[in-house]
Amino acid sequence: MKSILDKAREYEAVNGRKIPSEKRPAFHISPYVGWMNDPNGFSWYKGQYHLFYQYNPYKTQWDSMHWGHVVSKDLLHWEYLPAALAPDEEYDKIGCFSGSAAELPDGQQLLIYTSVDHETLEDGTVRDIQTQSVAVGDGTDYKKYEKNPVLTGQDVPEGGSKVDFRDPKIWKGKDGLFYCVVGNRPSDGSGQILLYSSEDGFQWKFVSILAENKNRYGKMWECPDFFKLDGKYVLLTSPQDMLAEGMEYYSGNGTLCIIGEMDPDTHTLKEENHQSVDYGIDFYAMQTVEAPDGRRIMIGWMQNWDTLSHRCEESKWFAQMSLPRELSVKNGRLYQKPVRELDAIRKNKTEYRNVVVKDKPVMLKGVQGRTIDMELAISPEDKETGYGKFIVCFAQNEKFHTELSFCPEDSVLKLDRKLSGSRRAVVHEKSCLVNRKTDELKLRMILDRYSVEVFVNDGEQVMSMVIFTEQEADGISFQANGKVKMDITKYDLV
């Protein structure tokens, strides 16, 4: 009799190969077949990057979470491996939820994940119970630990929920111990991040409540990540049910970065600054890895729980990951840049300098495409008169386009996909407040077949968004209210 994992592997092997490569993103990770959400187990192991992901191979909706698996040497060309985990034990029969990975001293890879089961209360109500479990393997095949789960509700501090207790992120400390942070909901109904330690990765003990939400930024804090970068400690998490705060945080499920110092005595994060991680529509559940050369690289689920109806219904895959991004901390802010490996696939350079853009749309020879890397530097042609608005239209034909616009008067940058071909009335635009120190605005736009990522002023802010416009729509045009001077460098990504 075939196991649940064997069935999943057999199904994906048959059906994944039926999806033509040209029907997928060119260099963003998509599921081999079926549904994808949170990145899991982003790690460097045996000479390559491993990324696992929340996965339902059988249909393009969330259900019965498995772990999908891909590997890469350059973060751009990914090879599909067989599904790594399936919900096949009593303690995880509802699903193998999000988690992470680390290498054990014996050279094996340890996966730690949230195992979900049901319990029935005295009144007959059925609810989830979330625990943390581990599996050990060789980079392809993994065996679950016979003493799972390794963290349960008994390991949660007083008042903490065992229903909302998930998404462990593991790392090896300089002291030789393993550590992990886990998202949890305390008695006030918001969120908190718990810190645990282990000598071997299997037996864990509670250390501290690393950070507390106290109903400031949304409710439950999901998918935490914690690391030291450029002399500061950084906590990344994805809060549910956020309330809008100007243009820094929008309502819904969002992203949060807290930067500060670590108190070595209490093992708590002393907060200094906070910000969104991504200001676009589609970005959630980010996870990082420390590369062999010391870079901190982040990837996120380039999708939004509130926009799941924005899809191509006939597609046999749904959702994708963001482009991996190099992180740094400067002046109390998180900066993000596309991984430098992207430079190796830049081809066919097209460059213009001092192009004046005004009231009529301008299209430039060689500036078009749906898999491109485009750098823009814009400033007023006349600093005395300035300009009212600058617009870039892309993924454009006579019927469709997506728009990126900037208004210097209020310093607002906006992405708008309402004319991109969607048949659903979902969220179609997002704006962010740009911190400009000069008249010049620098933009770097990475387009893949089904997405755009905009890096603002050398990565001080990022806006991510998926689009499903037909691939034949590959035009790009520029327009302004007033006169804008523009420098542009464009590469095809091959």
Side-chain angles (χ1 to χ4, degrees):
M1 185 175 179
K2 293 178 181 176
S3 70
I4 295 174
L5 181 60
D6 287 338
K7 289 179 180 178
R9 288 180 163 188
E10 183 177 279
Y11 182 89
E12 66 180 359
V14 171
N15 292 280
R17 68 169 67 104
K18 295 178 182 178
I19 303 174
S21 60
E22 63 269 18
K23 296 292 185 180
R24 297 182 179 277
F27 48 90
H28 288 74
I29 302 167
S30 60
Y32 195 40
V33 64
W35 163 278
M36 162 191 282
N37 62 287
D38 305 358
N40 300 156
F42 194 19
S43 53
W44 175 263
Y45 179 66
K46 289 187 175 179
Q48 56 188 349
Y49 293 97
H50 288 249
L51 187 83
F52 305 83
Y53 53 89
Q54 292 288 272
Y55 182 42
N56 177 20
Y58 301 110
K59 56 184 179 180
T60 57
Q61 283 82 33
W62 185 96
D63 196 5
S64 186
M65 284 293 96
H66 297 57
W67 273 34
H69 191 186
V70 290
V71 293
S72 175
K73 292 187 181 298
D74 66 357
L75 296 162
L76 297 172
H77 301 89
W78 295 88
E79 175 190 354
Y80 291 100
L81 295 186
L85 297 176
D88 53 13
E89 299 289 346
E90 273 300 307
Y91 54 81
D92 66 13
K93 63 178 179 287
I94 306 304
C96 300
F97 283 27
S98 292
S100 52
E103 186 171 349
L104 293 170
D106 64 4
Q108 294 190 93
Q109 190 175 36
L110 179 75
L111 308 183
I112 183 167
Y113 68 99
T114 297
S115 40
V116 184
D117 192 6
H118 278 164
E119 72 170 2
T120 302
L121 303 181
E122 292 182 0
D123 62 1
T125 302
V126 177
R127 67 177 184 178
D128 285 351
I129 291 296
Q130 299 181 347
T131 57
Q132 318 312 316
S133 294
V134 296
V136 176
D138 60 3
T140 302
D141 299 304
Y142 298 86
K143 182 179 179 181
K144 294 176 183 176
Y145 182 45
E146 65 272 11
K147 296 182 181 180
N148 276 338
V150 297
L151 283 169
T152 70
Q154 295 180 342
D155 301 295
V156 174
E158 184 177 357
S161 171
K162 61 179 181 179
V163 176
D164 291 304
F165 175 45
R166 56 183 175 271
D167 311 333
K169 175 63 197 295
I170 189 174
W171 72 93
K172 188 84 173 280
K174 291 184 178 180
D175 58 4
L177 297 178
F178 289 98
Y179 292 90
C180 78
V181 284
V182 186
N184 184 235
R185 191 189 292 269
S187 57
D188 69 2
S190 62
Q192 62 186 7
I193 304 301
L194 309 180
L195 178 64
Y196 295 87
S197 68
S198 171
E199 292 185 359
D200 59 4
F202 297 90
Q203 297 178 310
W204 293 86
K205 64 180 182 179
F206 174 75
V207 176
S208 66
I209 299 175
L210 178 73
E212 297 178 275
N213 183 6
K214 296 182 178 178
N215 284 300
R216 294 172 296 160
Y217 314 114
K219 294 294 184 180
M220 172 67 183
W221 282 0
E222 296 194 302
C223 303
D225 200 340
F226 185 64
F227 49 89
K228 190 175 184 180
L229 183 63
D230 296 327
K232 292 293 181 180
Y233 284 87
V234 179
L235 173 66
L236 305 179
T237 188
S238 294
Q240 295 179 318
D241 305 317
M242 296 190 81
L243 289 174
E245 291 186 22
M247 280 181 281
E248 187 63 36
Y249 303 112
Y250 283 86
S251 295
N253 295 330
T255 58
L256 173 66
C257 170
I258 296 175
I259 297 172
E261 298 288 349
M262 184 72 165
D263 188 319
D265 297 321
T266 61
H267 302 285
T268 57
L269 178 63
K270 298 166 66 175
E271 301 176 18
E272 295 176 349
N273 297 293
H274 63 89
Q275 65 179 90
S276 288
V277 178
D278 194 291
Y279 294 80
I281 297 174
D282 298 301
F283 193 84
Y284 195 75
M286 52 278 169
Q287 189 169 107
T288 73
V289 62
E290 184 177 3
D293 59 11
R295 287 178 294 164
R296 178 64 58 171
I297 299 173
M298 179 183 73
I299 198 167
W301 183 45
M302 195 157 49
Q303 192 56 57
N304 184 315
W305 285 113
D306 295 322
T307 61
L308 298 182
S309 60
H310 190 272
R311 63 173 70 198
C312 180
E313 294 296 344
E314 66 271 15
S315 177
K316 300 302 181 184
W317 63 271
F318 178 71
Q320 59 192 304
M321 297 301 176
S322 71
L323 188 69
R325 305 170 183 178
E326 298 180 18
L327 303 184
S328 59
V329 173
K330 303 175 187 177
N331 302 316
R333 281 195 65 86
L334 184 74
Y335 278 68
Q336 306 167 54
K337 290 186 175 182
V339 286
R340 63 196 65 174
E341 286 82 352
L342 194 71
D343 294 350
I345 65 170
R346 284 173 155 190
K347 307 294 181 185
N348 308 321
K349 181 178 179 180
T350 301
E351 190 171 25
Y352 293 89
R353 290 290 178 265
N354 297 317
V355 176
V356 177
V357 179
K358 44 188 179 179
D359 55 343
K360 292 184 179 180
V362 172
M363 302 186 79
L364 300 171
K365 184 179 179 180
V367 180
Q368 64 184 68
R370 289 288 290 273
T371 53
I372 68 167
D373 185 348
M374 184 167 67
E375 298 176 356
L376 304 174
I378 64 170
S379 57
E381 197 267 342
D382 184 333
K383 292 185 178 181
E384 295 298 323
T385 57
Y387 64 94
K389 189 176 186 180
F390 173 77
I391 300 170
V392 186
C393 291
F394 56 94
Q396 182 179 22
N397 60 14
E398 293 180 356
K399 188 175 183 180
F400 301 119
H401 73 269
T402 299
E403 182 177 297
L404 177 67
S405 63
F406 179 69
C407 293
E409 182 178 359
D410 52 15
S411 203
V412 170
L413 185 70
K414 182 171 74 173
L415 263 177
D416 186 343
R417 66 179 177 197
K418 63 176 174 289
L419 297 178
S420 66
S422 171
R423 297 181 183 273
R424 302 294 179 191
V426 297
V427 178
H428 282 315
E429 63 179 56
K430 279 287 179 70
S431 300
C432 74
L433 186 63
V434 175
N435 177 27
R436 286 194 307 154
K437 301 177 181 66
T438 69
D439 288 330
E440 184 180 72
L441 175 67
K442 296 173 69 175
L443 301 170
R444 184 175 179 185
M445 300 175 64
I446 310 293
L447 271 66
D448 202 343
R449 292 173 179 141
Y450 304 97
S451 65
V452 59
E453 291 164 273
V454 181
F455 296 80
V456 184
N457 288 336
D458 298 315
E460 187 173 7
Q461 292 165 296
V462 188
M463 302 181 77
S464 302
M465 186 170 72
V466 301
I467 54 175
F468 288 93
T469 316
E470 58 193 37
Q471 296 303 304
E472 293 73 20
D474 65 353
I476 298 174
S477 65
F478 308 92
Q479 191 173 354
N481 177 4
K483 292 183 179 181
V484 168
K485 184 175 67 175
M486 177 179 72
D487 293 340
I488 177 170
T489 305
K490 174 256 176 182
Y491 299 87
D492 295 322
L493 295 174
V494 179

